[in-house]
Amino acid sequence: PEMQQKVAGIMCNFDEDNLLPAFSFSEKILPSVVTKRVLASILAKVFDPHGLISPFLTGLKVLLQDTWLMSKAWDEPLAGDLDAEKSIFQVFDDLRHIVSMSKSITVPRWVGVLCSDEVQLHVFCDASKRLYAASAYLRASGCSGSSCHLIASKSKLVTPALLKVNFSPKFELLACFLAVKLAKSLQS
């Protein structure tokens, strides 16, 4: 039997020395009627301090922001809106798939860095019309070869005031700023 315990809010598999950044809810929680309250509840149940599963949650965050922009009530069903309906079904199908696969998502706790290895931090960033993000990878190379591991990521939604502006270099600059903050937090 695998020994799993929570450490600092994240499930760990000590037999394989992996972090299990899985969702803490089951597929039963995904309802047939989607409301703003349901979306907020699902997002509130995820604890992901390192951003290891943040790419999987982006669609839900955008959908929740859309419900705020449409001035929806907390318990008003969202299926009546044609644009939201398409994205709701796509996002929830993706989420159902992710929830079913979440047990197989593992992240090595030890990234293979020895004292004699050369260690480099690589941070990448990008932006779109709806969000900007940064991810950090640790690259270690030495006599045993090279390895590269995702160690953290951050993503932010574009604020509603900026949504009215056409995609501009400002979003790219926001992504660069986020990348610098992420790099500084990892180096300290």
Side-chain angles (χ1 to χ4, degrees), residues 107-156:
V107 177
R109 190 183 61 82
W110 185 65
V111 292
V113 176
L114 300 174
C115 297
S116 61
D117 288 347
E118 177 188 348
V119 178
Q120 301 170 343
L121 179 66
H122 296 265
V123 181
F124 302 94
C125 63
D126 200 6
S128 71
K129 293 179 182 179
R130 295 300 304 265
L131 67 113
Y132 51 98
S135 59
Y137 293 83
L138 193 67
R139 181 181 185 277
S141 58
C143 58
S144 60
S146 295
S147 67
C148 190
H149 295 279
L150 173 70
I151 55 170
S153 71
K154 296 284 181 193
S155 65
K156 300 226 181 229

Side-chain angles (χ1 to χ4, degrees), residues 2-164:
E2 295 179 347
M3 185 174 171
Q4 294 183 0
Q5 269 186 308
K6 266 192 175 180
V7 175
I10 300 173
M11 289 298 294
C12 294
N13 179 339
F14 291 112
D15 292 339
E16 297 177 8
D17 204 15
N18 287 332
L19 300 176
L20 308 168
F23 297 98
S24 62
F25 53 87
S26 67
E27 196 168 342
K28 292 183 281 187
I29 247 173
L30 302 176
S32 57
V33 177
V34 181
T35 64
K36 184 193 298 188
R37 185 179 310 276
V38 167
L39 294 175
S41 174
I42 289 171
L43 285 169
K45 286 178 174 49
V46 178
F47 180 67
D48 185 27
H50 301 293
L52 299 172
I53 56 176
S54 66
F56 301 113
L57 302 174
T58 302
L60 277 178
K61 290 179 180 181
V62 168
L63 192 57
L64 183 61
Q65 186 183 53
D66 287 345
T67 63
W68 282 101
L69 293 174
M70 292 186 286
S71 301
K72 293 288 187 182
W74 279 101
D75 295 316
E76 183 180 348
L78 302 178
D81 303 312
L82 184 60
D83 291 339
E85 185 177 358
K86 290 179 186 174
S87 60
I88 286 170
F89 291 131
Q90 289 170 351
V91 168
F92 269 80
D93 281 345
D94 291 346
L95 187 62
R96 280 189 175 92
H97 180 67
I98 291 165
V99 167
S100 67
M101 291 180 51
S102 68
K103 292 182 181 176
S104 64
I105 299 173
T106 61
V107 177
R109 190 183 61 82
W110 185 65
V111 292
V113 176
L114 300 174
C115 297
S116 61
D117 288 347
E118 177 188 348
V119 178
Q120 301 170 343
L121 179 66
H122 296 265
V123 181
F124 302 94
C125 63
D126 200 6
S128 71
K129 293 179 182 179
R130 295 300 304 265
L131 67 113
Y132 51 98
S135 59
Y137 293 83
L138 193 67
R139 181 181 185 277
S141 58
C143 58
S144 60
S146 295
S147 67
C148 190
H149 295 279
L150 173 70
I151 55 170
S153 71
K154 296 284 181 193
S155 65
K156 300 226 181 229
L157 292 177
V158 173
T159 60
L162 291 176
L163 284 176
K164 298 172 186 168

